[in-house]
Amino acid sequence: MHGRRWSIRRKEERQEICEGVNVIQLCLCGHTHAYMLSSLVSSLCHSANKHKPWIETEYQGIVMENDNTVLLNPPLFALDKDAPLHYAGEICGFRVHNGPSGSGSVQFEAVVLDRSTGEGLVRSKEPLDCESQREHSFTIQAYDCGEGPDGVNSKKSHKATVHVRVNDVNEFSPVFVERRYEASVPEGRLFDRIVRVEALDADCSPQYSQICFYDIITPNVPFAIDNDGNIKNTEPLDSKRQRVHTFWVTAFDCGKNRAQADAQVVVTVKPSCKPGWIGWTKRVEYTPGSGSIPLFPSLHLETCEETVWNIQATVELQTGHIGKGCDRDSYSDRSVRRLCGAVRGEVDLLPPPSPAANWTATLPTLPSSDSSLVFSFNGSNHVAVVPDSVVSTLSGDHFTLQLWMRRGGSSIQPATTQTRGNRKEEETIVCSTVKNDDTFSHYSLSVHGCRLSLFYWPDVSAARPVKFLWKLEQVCDSEWHHLSLSVQFPSVTLYVDGVTFDPALIHDNGAIPNPAPRQRMFIGACWEPEEKQKEILNNTIPEGKDSVKYVGGYHGLLSGVTVRPGSVEPHSVVECLYACREGLDFGDLETLGSGMKVHVNPSQSVLVLEGDDIESFNRAVQQVTYRNSLRFATPGVRPLKLTTSLRCFNEESCLSLKQLEGYLVVLQPDAPQISLSGVGPHLARPAPEFEGPRGVPLFPELRIVCSLSHAVNTAAQGMEALMSDAVAHTLDGCEVQPLGEELNSEREELLVDMDVVRERGLEIINTTAYIAITGAESISVYEDVLRSVRYRLAKGSARFERRFRLSCSEMNGRYTSNELTLEVNFLHSLDSLYHPSHLLASQQQFLHPSHHAGELSGHTLPNPHRNSVVPGAATIIIMVCVGFLVVMVILGVFRIRSIHRRGEGARGGAKEGSSQWDDSALTIIVNPMETYESRMGITADTEGEGEEDEEVAESPDDASDDQRIIIKKEGRDGNARRY
């Protein structure tokens, strides 16, 4: 406090001195010391800075776009009460601070124009852009020059807010949102608006950014445009006179800048409106493997501006003629069950007729596209009686009954249309009584009209029957359906085509006679009570007046009727087994508009759309798709129908649309190429190897490759080429078949590694005519199994060759591989074929280990043995040749001896020692392999000694058979040479 009071007192004293400075200067004028004192007093006076500068509290500024000088209102002036004092009363500068926007201090600056008057100027550091930021705010503050030239003790004014608005310059021209506008209108009418064009201007001010008017620059067109861009026709349009009108429009902003580019408008004149579906394509193609494809990508409904409050469309895909109701897996039922992980142990109640299963021999059969066996029942004399030996394996109150069913004929009527007096009796599909320990249970599965019923009697001697009832459209639509009935009494579950249906439970306590406690099972009919039972002969119910005494026979088709006792299948397995792989679907439910409903039936053959908005309905129709999840879909035509129902506010004038019909064509899929390789056309082994306990493997290096060939476009030549891609496939069967005569079960057999077969869950049929391995499995599994197939001969079997053929297939035989033929040669030693005494010595020389036989082309030979081996195919020829050569050798020896005797008589005994041909060491070697080797293209390289002399005697007969007789003399060492 004392320091502050002293400072105030010093300032007051300084002010008093300054007020009297003029008096002092006048009094001391003319004296040197007085001048120095005057300067000191003046300096003391000017250094005083008593007041702060003052400016306005707020300024409004304007700056033109692309300029930097800001015009302020009011003008920028800073006042200081210390004026006119030098420094203290002058304004040295302005400082700019950030405003609310935070960018003012960066973009703007303020400069002093006149220090004495305090006039200032605000300007931007660089030109401003109105489109980037139209308004700026910041604060400004003035400061004086202080008490001296260095600005000591300068004072600052308060902060004033400056608002700067950037005035726009018309630098941008209008730009149309679209370069091309299209519209369609019906002919013969005037419209208030056909289409609206729109242009935008990038300028920031309303004056220059608004579009003031549009103009049609194409002359002589029957259209007009208003300032909002709405185009209308000025006269009715005629589609016959001109179908399409094309013209150009431009736009101007309020600164009269014209659009950079004009817009094109295309108006299509439609003929007189006809309500209905537009864009219907009668033929739709589907390439297998495409997943889901839209059926109606450009379809839309035209109501001709009729007010409609409800629309319902039904799309129906007819697939009843494809297999059993739709496209399913083409593998056999057993293979499909294995692929889906179903529990094994099912018993086939309608097996293919055979000596072991003859109860279906008299039933008529029909061809099936999926290679399954279909049995026909006429409702009268066609019935199958399952033997007791089969029925005895089906005991228990837990079982699963499965079958394919198709009711026969269009005469089937729903139960609701049948009168009480003309009521038809139930048609029984399966009727069975089985023994469970000490009791008997009875059940029968029947159809009546459109109802399916299961009549179950847990104990025929005590309990009362229970009836499970289902009302199903599938029972009476004359189409193929799969029924899976899982019974875990008292629980019963029904799956129709993989979809669950709950039953209605009826406890029937009426006067129903108890079934006889006798084990039996009928397919296609049931029996009357014991006192009325008639004998059934040859699996038929006798026709005539007594046939009505049996429970009504089933009229229709059945296939794949099986029963599996024990635990029931889970829902996922049943759905996998029998669900359709093709059907209708909806693309994306999330895009479904408000008020829209979609319903698809369980078999996905019928899809229903319902809505109240035409635009949303048209978008929904375009989302209806067809899907087929099979890699090799069944090719063919699927009829397609679209039925539409409209409801209007005025029911009398509501539109009526006819049904549309088309068809979906599933194209032929690329057939897989199954190639079998890695096995030569010949397999030669010594016969003892085939006689071993394990035999000889036939296909040890078998390779199976599956590939798909498809056409691709070659960019270089613009042509199509075939490309083959290796893919992973599943085979379902391979067969090894002996060609020619069947196998002799006493002397030969085919062996398979049963451990591998059982481990993989495959099935095998091994007969003398063929060996078949079946079951859906990967290629690698089949390679392992087929490589284990061995051929075995009994000891002493005089067989020389055997031919086998191998082939594989997939998709239940739909695609087959190449046929791989293998010729097996059994190599026998010469000693085992014949033993002529005059060839024993020569054989020992010819069959020397130093002669290594080369590998025969196309054969697989073992390492050479001590005794030579000859392929069985050439054995007979060699035997004949050898016999012929033996005779020729004997004749040659006889001829040589005769010549020798004649020469001996002519020359005399004196010259005998020097001229006689000594044949004491004569050795004759016959090569029985040379004919075979020359035929197979093999050359035997034999090395001999260079010193040894060799003579070859060849007769004309021998030359014709390509046989040589090699006569070798005794060597110098006295020992015979071996080759």
Side-chain angles (χ1 to χ4, degrees), residues 171-199:
E171 58 182 335
F172 294 100
S173 298
V175 177
F176 281 96
V177 177
E178 303 286 344
R179 295 296 304 273
R180 177 185 174 94
Y181 294 87
E182 295 182 359
S184 300
V185 293
E187 63 181 354
R189 296 174 56 185
L190 292 175
F191 296 90
D192 295 333
R193 187 178 76 173
I194 296 177
V195 65
R196 181 179 182 271
V197 299
E198 183 182 5

Short mmCIF file of all heavy atoms in Angstrom, two decimals, residues 171-199:
data_model
loop_
_atom_site.label_atom_id
_atom_site.label_comp_id
_atom_site.label_asym_id
_atom_site.label_seq_id
_atom_site.Cartn_x
_atom_site.Cartn_y
_atom_site.Cartn_z
N GLU A 171 -19.90 -16.80 -59.32
CA GLU A 171 -18.80 -17.46 -60.02
C GLU A 171 -19.16 -18.85 -60.51
O GLU A 171 -18.41 -19.44 -61.30
CB GLU A 171 -17.60 -17.56 -59.10
CG GLU A 171 -17.88 -18.30 -57.81
CD GLU A 171 -16.67 -18.35 -56.89
OE1 GLU A 171 -15.55 -18.26 -57.42
OE2 GLU A 171 -16.87 -18.46 -55.67
N PHE A 172 -20.27 -19.43 -60.05
CA PHE A 172 -20.68 -20.78 -60.44
C PHE A 172 -21.91 -20.73 -61.31
O PHE A 172 -22.79 -19.87 -61.12
CB PHE A 172 -20.94 -21.65 -59.21
CG PHE A 172 -19.71 -21.92 -58.40
CD1 PHE A 172 -19.44 -21.20 -57.24
CD2 PHE A 172 -18.81 -22.89 -58.81
CE1 PHE A 172 -18.31 -21.45 -56.50
CE2 PHE A 172 -17.67 -23.14 -58.07
CZ PHE A 172 -17.42 -22.42 -56.92
N SER A 173 -21.99 -21.69 -62.23
CA SER A 173 -23.16 -21.84 -63.09
C SER A 173 -23.99 -23.02 -62.61
O SER A 173 -23.47 -23.94 -61.95
CB SER A 173 -22.72 -22.07 -64.55
OG SER A 173 -21.99 -20.96 -65.03
N PRO A 174 -25.27 -23.06 -62.92
CA PRO A 174 -26.12 -24.18 -62.50
C PRO A 174 -25.63 -25.50 -63.11
O PRO A 174 -25.09 -25.53 -64.22
CB PRO A 174 -27.50 -23.80 -63.01
CG PRO A 174 -27.45 -22.31 -63.15
CD PRO A 174 -26.05 -21.99 -63.57
N VAL A 175 -25.84 -26.58 -62.37
CA VAL A 175 -25.48 -27.94 -62.81
C VAL A 175 -26.69 -28.83 -62.57
O VAL A 175 -27.24 -28.86 -61.46
CB VAL A 175 -24.25 -28.48 -62.05
CG1 VAL A 175 -23.95 -29.91 -62.49
CG2 VAL A 175 -23.04 -27.59 -62.30
N PHE A 176 -27.11 -29.61 -63.58
CA PHE A 176 -28.25 -30.50 -63.44
C PHE A 176 -27.86 -31.72 -62.60
O PHE A 176 -26.72 -32.24 -62.70
CB PHE A 176 -28.74 -30.97 -64.82
CG PHE A 176 -29.59 -29.94 -65.53
CD1 PHE A 176 -29.03 -29.08 -66.46
CD2 PHE A 176 -30.93 -29.82 -65.22
CE1 PHE A 176 -29.80 -28.13 -67.11
CE2 PHE A 176 -31.72 -28.87 -65.86
CZ PHE A 176 -31.15 -28.02 -66.81
N VAL A 177 -28.80 -32.16 -61.79
CA VAL A 177 -28.57 -33.35 -60.95
C VAL A 177 -28.37 -34.58 -61.81
O VAL A 177 -27.53 -35.44 -61.55
CB VAL A 177 -29.74 -33.53 -59.97
CG1 VAL A 177 -29.56 -34.80 -59.15
CG2 VAL A 177 -29.86 -32.32 -59.06
N GLU A 178 -29.13 -34.71 -62.86
CA GLU A 178 -29.02 -35.82 -63.80
C GLU A 178 -28.74 -35.26 -65.19
O GLU A 178 -29.27 -34.21 -65.56
CB GLU A 178 -30.30 -36.67 -63.83
CG GLU A 178 -30.70 -37.24 -62.49
CD GLU A 178 -29.82 -38.38 -62.05
OE1 GLU A 178 -29.10 -38.92 -62.93
OE2 GLU A 178 -29.82 -38.71 -60.86
N ARG A 179 -27.92 -35.97 -65.93
CA ARG A 179 -27.68 -35.54 -67.31
C ARG A 179 -28.77 -36.00 -68.25
O ARG A 179 -28.92 -35.46 -69.35
CB ARG A 179 -26.33 -36.11 -67.79
CG ARG A 179 -25.13 -35.57 -67.05
CD ARG A 179 -24.96 -34.09 -67.28
NE ARG A 179 -24.86 -33.75 -68.68
CZ ARG A 179 -23.73 -33.76 -69.38
NH1 ARG A 179 -22.60 -34.07 -68.76
NH2 ARG A 179 -23.71 -33.45 -70.66
N ARG A 180 -29.54 -37.03 -67.80
CA ARG A 180 -30.59 -37.58 -68.66
C ARG A 180 -31.79 -37.92 -67.79
O ARG A 180 -31.65 -38.59 -66.76
CB ARG A 180 -30.08 -38.83 -69.39
CG ARG A 180 -31.10 -39.53 -70.27
CD ARG A 180 -30.50 -40.81 -70.82
NE ARG A 180 -31.46 -41.61 -71.56
CZ ARG A 180 -31.63 -41.55 -72.88
NH1 ARG A 180 -30.89 -40.70 -73.60
NH2 ARG A 180 -32.50 -42.33 -73.49
N TYR A 181 -32.96 -37.49 -68.21
CA TYR A 181 -34.22 -37.77 -67.51
C TYR A 181 -35.13 -38.55 -68.45
O TYR A 181 -35.24 -38.21 -69.64
CB TYR A 181 -34.90 -36.46 -67.07
CG TYR A 181 -34.13 -35.69 -66.03
CD1 TYR A 181 -33.14 -34.77 -66.38
CD2 TYR A 181 -34.39 -35.86 -64.67
CE1 TYR A 181 -32.43 -34.06 -65.43
CE2 TYR A 181 -33.68 -35.16 -63.70
CZ TYR A 181 -32.70 -34.26 -64.09
OH TYR A 181 -32.01 -33.57 -63.14
N GLU A 182 -35.72 -39.60 -67.87
CA GLU A 182 -36.60 -40.45 -68.67
C GLU A 182 -37.95 -40.56 -67.97
O GLU A 182 -38.02 -40.57 -66.73
CB GLU A 182 -35.99 -41.83 -68.87
CG GLU A 182 -34.72 -41.83 -69.68
CD GLU A 182 -34.17 -43.23 -69.89
OE1 GLU A 182 -34.81 -44.18 -69.37
OE2 GLU A 182 -33.15 -43.38 -70.56
N ALA A 183 -38.98 -40.68 -68.79
CA ALA A 183 -40.33 -40.84 -68.25
C ALA A 183 -41.17 -41.56 -69.30
O ALA A 183 -40.86 -41.54 -70.50
CB ALA A 183 -40.94 -39.49 -67.90
N SER A 184 -42.20 -42.23 -68.82
CA SER A 184 -43.15 -42.93 -69.70
C SER A 184 -44.55 -42.47 -69.35
O SER A 184 -44.90 -42.40 -68.15
CB SER A 184 -43.01 -44.44 -69.56
OG SER A 184 -41.71 -44.87 -69.89
N VAL A 185 -45.33 -42.17 -70.36
CA VAL A 185 -46.71 -41.71 -70.15
C VAL A 185 -47.62 -42.43 -71.13
O VAL A 185 -47.19 -42.76 -72.26
CB VAL A 185 -46.83 -40.19 -70.33
CG1 VAL A 185 -46.07 -39.45 -69.25
CG2 VAL A 185 -46.33 -39.75 -71.70
N PRO A 186 -48.83 -42.70 -70.74
CA PRO A 186 -49.79 -43.27 -71.70
C PRO A 186 -50.25 -42.21 -72.70
O PRO A 186 -50.24 -41.01 -72.41
CB PRO A 186 -50.93 -43.76 -70.81
CG PRO A 186 -50.82 -42.94 -69.58
CD PRO A 186 -49.38 -42.63 -69.38
N GLU A 187 -50.64 -42.66 -73.83
CA GLU A 187 -51.03 -41.74 -74.89
C GLU A 187 -52.44 -41.20 -74.65
O GLU A 187 -53.22 -41.73 -73.86
CB GLU A 187 -50.99 -42.46 -76.24
CG GLU A 187 -51.97 -43.63 -76.34
CD GLU A 187 -51.89 -44.35 -77.67
OE1 GLU A 187 -51.17 -43.87 -78.55
OE2 GLU A 187 -52.57 -45.39 -77.82
N GLY A 188 -52.71 -40.04 -75.35
CA GLY A 188 -54.06 -39.49 -75.40
C GLY A 188 -54.49 -38.72 -74.18
O GLY A 188 -55.68 -38.44 -74.02
N ARG A 189 -53.56 -38.32 -73.30
CA ARG A 189 -53.96 -37.59 -72.10
C ARG A 189 -53.01 -36.42 -71.86
O ARG A 189 -51.85 -36.44 -72.30
CB ARG A 189 -53.96 -38.52 -70.89
CG ARG A 189 -54.97 -39.64 -70.96
CD ARG A 189 -54.80 -40.59 -69.80
NE ARG A 189 -54.88 -39.91 -68.51
CZ ARG A 189 -54.67 -40.51 -67.34
NH1 ARG A 189 -54.35 -41.79 -67.31
NH2 ARG A 189 -54.77 -39.82 -66.22
N LEU A 190 -53.52 -35.40 -71.14
CA LEU A 190 -52.70 -34.27 -70.70
C LEU A 190 -52.33 -34.47 -69.24
O LEU A 190 -53.18 -34.82 -68.42
CB LEU A 190 -53.46 -32.95 -70.89
CG LEU A 190 -53.72 -32.51 -72.33
CD1 LEU A 190 -54.57 -31.25 -72.34
CD2 LEU A 190 -52.41 -32.26 -73.07
N PHE A 191 -51.09 -34.22 -68.93
CA PHE A 191 -50.60 -34.43 -67.58
C PHE A 191 -50.07 -33.12 -67.02
O PHE A 191 -49.46 -32.32 -67.74
CB PHE A 191 -49.48 -35.48 -67.58
CG PHE A 191 -49.92 -36.85 -68.00
CD1 PHE A 191 -49.87 -37.22 -69.33
CD2 PHE A 191 -50.40 -37.75 -67.08
CE1 PHE A 191 -50.28 -38.48 -69.73
CE2 PHE A 191 -50.81 -39.01 -67.46
CZ PHE A 191 -50.75 -39.38 -68.79
N ASP A 192 -50.32 -32.87 -65.74
CA ASP A 192 -49.80 -31.68 -65.09
C ASP A 192 -48.28 -31.77 -64.91
O ASP A 192 -47.60 -30.74 -64.90
CB ASP A 192 -50.47 -31.48 -63.72
CG ASP A 192 -51.95 -31.18 -63.86
OD1 ASP A 192 -52.34 -30.64 -64.91
OD2 ASP A 192 -52.71 -31.50 -62.92
N ARG A 193 -47.80 -32.95 -64.72
CA ARG A 193 -46.36 -33.14 -64.61
C ARG A 193 -45.99 -34.52 -65.11
O ARG A 193 -46.52 -35.53 -64.65
CB ARG A 193 -45.87 -32.96 -63.16
CG ARG A 193 -44.35 -33.00 -63.05
CD ARG A 193 -43.87 -32.79 -61.63
NE ARG A 193 -44.05 -33.99 -60.82
CZ ARG A 193 -43.60 -34.14 -59.58
NH1 ARG A 193 -42.95 -33.13 -59.01
NH2 ARG A 193 -43.81 -35.24 -58.91
N ILE A 194 -45.08 -34.55 -66.07
CA ILE A 194 -44.58 -35.83 -66.59
C ILE A 194 -43.28 -36.22 -65.89
O ILE A 194 -43.11 -37.34 -65.44
CB ILE A 194 -44.36 -35.74 -68.11
CG1 ILE A 194 -45.71 -35.49 -68.81
CG2 ILE A 194 -43.71 -37.00 -68.64
CD1 ILE A 194 -45.59 -35.31 -70.30
N VAL A 195 -42.39 -35.23 -65.77
CA VAL A 195 -41.11 -35.46 -65.11
C VAL A 195 -40.61 -34.12 -64.59
O VAL A 195 -40.98 -33.06 -65.14
CB VAL A 195 -40.08 -36.11 -66.07
CG1 VAL A 195 -39.74 -35.17 -67.21
CG2 VAL A 195 -38.82 -36.55 -65.33
N ARG A 196 -39.82 -34.14 -63.56
CA ARG A 196 -39.26 -32.91 -62.99
C ARG A 196 -37.75 -32.96 -63.10
O ARG A 196 -37.11 -33.92 -62.67
CB ARG A 196 -39.67 -32.74 -61.53
CG ARG A 196 -39.14 -31.45 -60.89
CD ARG A 196 -39.61 -31.32 -59.45
NE ARG A 196 -39.16 -30.09 -58.83
CZ ARG A 196 -38.01 -29.96 -58.19
NH1 ARG A 196 -37.19 -31.00 -58.07
NH2 ARG A 196 -37.66 -28.79 -57.66
N VAL A 197 -37.18 -31.90 -63.71
CA VAL A 197 -35.73 -31.77 -63.77
C VAL A 197 -35.28 -30.85 -62.66
O VAL A 197 -36.05 -30.00 -62.18
CB VAL A 197 -35.28 -31.24 -65.15
CG1 VAL A 197 -35.70 -32.20 -66.25
CG2 VAL A 197 -35.84 -29.85 -65.41
N GLU A 198 -34.04 -30.99 -62.25
CA GLU A 198 -33.53 -30.18 -61.14
C GLU A 198 -32.08 -29.83 -61.40
O GLU A 198 -31.29 -30.68 -61.81
CB GLU A 198 -33.66 -30.95 -59.83
CG GLU A 198 -33.22 -30.15 -58.61
CD GLU A 198 -33.32 -30.95 -57.33
OE1 GLU A 198 -33.63 -32.16 -57.40
OE2 GLU A 198 -33.08 -30.38 -56.25
N ALA A 199 -31.77 -28.54 -61.16
CA ALA A 199 -30.40 -28.06 -61.27
C ALA A 199 -30.00 -27.40 -59.97
O ALA A 199 -30.84 -26.81 -59.27
CB ALA A 199 -30.25 -27.09 -62.45
#
